[in-house]
């Protein structure tokens, strides 16, 4: 009797056949490059916990934005580190704030590059929380007012997309109303819809100087054990008018990315966050892994899980490899 075993290895025999049957293709089109804007001139300050990332003043931010565009990256995401922090995050919605100035400068000097802004208060508050505090609690509704002002000032400066990352309830709808009532109905909202309270944000908090001065973010960001709740968060944001929904972090939440992609019909973004980036850099430096290989594997896995857009500090390096 002839017996033929199944031989999937036939389709793995060489690189050309592997190319032909490859299911997922990472592209430079998928990538968003995050940048940290600070005040001053000629500033390019290393972020120790994120090798290869910097806090930069306007002049250098524009240079880096040009480089991102040259590499074919479609969009950058801006975070601000203001000179002055206070309880009401005044710099977040100052029309002359660091992010607002950077948006204007990039739109003027690097036409065509999309500028996305992170809308949150934690980089601008002296207590480091993402909202207004009263009696040690983060208040939801009073925070919406400030987020609305912040999103509006970013959009008025010319931001192509605003991305609220605070996790207050109702903020997408609130921001949508504010934008619409100011003639900015064309500005999309990319909501950090399923954002988890994560240890992987550690290095970012050094980068953005946004460590909470007391407590943690568990009363507003999601519990990492929850999966169904992510679908609820996403459906609420869609009802409120989100155009793109995001999962954050990415690597330890691939199941969530997959669930959302198969449940909803909106583009899904995933944020490959600071801790995920820094772990790769640290292990590569120790010679324990091949950093480039692991980076490409991680980014491909995020895409395979269902992400249409990947926000990653690896964007420039990955773009170079993809261009080869
Ligand atoms: C602001 C914000 C954070 C990140 C993006 N937007 C930090 C936080 O929620 O503590 C994290 C990004 C990263 O770790 O790369 N709320």
């Amino acid at each position: 009797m002839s017996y033929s075993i199944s031989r999937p290895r036939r389709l793995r025999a060489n690189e050309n056949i592997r190319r032909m049957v490859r299911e997922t293709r990472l592209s430079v089109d998928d990538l968003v490059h995050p940048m940290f804007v600070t005040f001053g001139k000629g500033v390019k300050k290393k972020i120790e916990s994120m090798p290869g990332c910097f806090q930069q003043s306007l002049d250098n931010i524009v240079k880096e934005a040009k480089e991102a565009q040259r590499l074919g990256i479609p969009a950058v995401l801006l975070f601000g580190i203001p000179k002055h922090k206070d309880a009401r995050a005044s710099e977040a919605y100052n029309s002359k704030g660091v992010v607002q100035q950077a948006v204007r400068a990039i739109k003027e000097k690097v036409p065509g590059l999309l500028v996305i802004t992170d809308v949150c208060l934690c980089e601008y508050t002296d207590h480091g929380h993402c909202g207004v505090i009263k009696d040690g609690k983060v208040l939801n509704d009073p925070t919406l007012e400030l987020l609305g002002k912040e999103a509006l000032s970013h959009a008025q400066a010319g931001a192509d997309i605003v991305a609220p990352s605070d996790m207050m309830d109702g903020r997408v709808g609130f921001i949508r109303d504010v934008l619409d009532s100011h003639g900015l109905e064309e500005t999309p909202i990319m909501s950090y819809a399923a954002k988890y309270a994560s240890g992987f944000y550690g290095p970012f908090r050094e980068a953005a100087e946004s460590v909470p001065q007391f407590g943690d973010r568990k009363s507003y960001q999601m519990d990492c054990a929850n999966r169904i709740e992510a679908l609820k968060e996403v459906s609420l944001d869609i009802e409120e008018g989100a155009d793109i929904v995001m999962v954050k972090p990415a690597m330890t939440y691939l199941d969530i990315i997959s669930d959302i992609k198969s449940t909803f019909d909106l583009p899904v973004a995933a944020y490959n966050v600071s801790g995920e980036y820094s772990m790769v850099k640290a292990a590569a430096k120790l010679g324990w892994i091949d950093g480039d290989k692991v980076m490409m594997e991680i980014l491909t896995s995020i895409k395979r899980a269902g992400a249409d857009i990947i926000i990653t500090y690896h964007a420039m390096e990955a773009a170079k490899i993809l261009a080869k």
Side-chain angles (χ1 to χ4, degrees):
M1 194 184 84
S2 81
Y3 167 69
S4 93
I5 62 170
S6 184
R7 294 187 187 277
R9 287 186 56 193
R10 287 183 192 125
L11 303 185
R12 288 180 208 143
N14 58 60
E15 180 56 15
N16 273 349
I17 200 152
R18 289 192 293 271
R19 278 171 62 205
M20 284 174 66
V21 300
R22 190 157 289 147
E23 298 173 38
T24 305
R25 275 171 223 282
L26 184 69
S27 153
V28 68
D29 298 343
D30 308 326
L31 306 175
V32 175
H33 174 60
M35 299 195 291
F36 299 97
V37 194
T38 190
F39 51 91
K41 248 192 181 155
V43 181
K44 184 164 182 169
K45 192 174 157 213
K46 270 190 190 158
I47 299 164
E48 295 300 335
S49 56
M50 298 172 69
C53 297
F54 303 87
Q55 291 182 349
Q56 302 182 90
S57 52
L58 264 192
D59 41 355
N60 287 324
I61 284 286
V62 168
K63 272 189 213 158
E64 196 165 296
K66 278 188 186 153
E67 175 64 4
Q69 191 179 47
R70 193 186 65 75
L71 290 168
I73 295 170
V76 293
L77 170 62
L78 299 182
F79 294 95
I81 300 121
K83 197 172 201 168
H84 163 76
K85 303 193 187 217
D86 59 30
R88 294 189 59 81
S90 322
E91 282 302 302
Y93 40 88
N94 175 353
S95 62
K96 296 200 178 79
V98 279
V99 165
Q100 289 83 350
Q101 287 188 46
V103 171
R104 280 189 218 102
I106 298 171
K107 291 312 293 177
E108 187 194 333
K109 307 227 169 80
V110 199
L113 182 68
L114 288 181
V115 180
I116 310 171
T117 57
D118 183 85
V119 174
C120 194
L121 304 183
C122 63
E123 297 120 69
Y124 306 93
T125 50
D126 48 11
H127 47 69
H129 275 288
C130 304
V132 175
I133 304 274
K134 198 173 171 208
D135 303 328
K137 283 203 169 125
V138 177
L139 301 184
N140 197 87
D141 298 7
T143 300
L144 301 184
E145 300 283 339
L146 304 186
L147 293 169
K149 283 167 54 161
E150 182 179 13
L152 177 63
S153 79
H154 290 175
Q156 284 175 334
D160 296 289
I161 302 177
V162 291
S165 71
D166 52 282
M167 287 300 278
M168 297 301 126
D169 294 331
R171 92 274 206 219
V172 172
F174 192 93
I175 290 172
R176 188 70 273 158
D177 282 350
V178 172
L179 295 177
D180 290 358
S181 63
H182 287 81
L184 291 158
E185 52 282 289
E186 300 291 333
T187 306
I189 297 177
M190 173 164 81
S191 78
Y192 288 68
K195 177 174 179 180
Y196 288 86
S198 171
F200 288 97
Y201 306 149
F204 174 94
R205 293 184 186 165
E206 179 200 320
E209 299 171 9
S210 63
V211 180
Q213 298 304 305
F214 65 90
D216 52 38
R217 304 210 201 289
K218 289 184 180 165
S219 76
Y220 41 107
Q221 298 179 348
M222 286 176 57
D223 182 336
C224 78
N226 293 358
R227 186 168 180 176
I228 296 162
E229 191 189 5
L231 297 177
K232 178 169 141 198
E233 280 285 1
V234 169
S235 68
L236 288 172
D237 283 10
I238 294 175
E239 272 170 38
E240 291 175 31
D243 300 279
I244 300 172
V245 288
M246 196 199 297
V247 177
K248 177 181 175 188
M251 277 168 71
T252 40
Y253 298 87
L254 295 180
D255 54 336
I256 310 297
I257 296 172
S258 170
D259 285 354
I260 291 172
K261 183 65 184 175
S262 58
T263 310
F264 301 99
D265 56 6
L266 256 60
V268 178
Y271 200 138
N272 176 219
V273 300
S274 57
E276 304 177 85
Y277 170 85
S278 300
M279 287 197 309
V280 173
K281 291 291 168 198
K285 193 172 166 197
L286 287 165
W288 291 349
I289 57 169
D290 176 330
D292 283 352
K293 244 192 201 166
V294 168
M295 164 179 78
M296 296 310 275
E297 187 174 331
I298 289 170
L299 297 177
T300 303
S301 76
I302 296 169
K303 178 133 190 213
R304 190 193 62 225
D308 302 288
I309 298 167
I310 304 173
I311 301 161
T312 177
Y313 304 98
H314 292 296
M316 306 261 257
E317 299 169 273
K320 285 179 198 158
I321 292 177
L322 289 168
K324 273 185 199 154

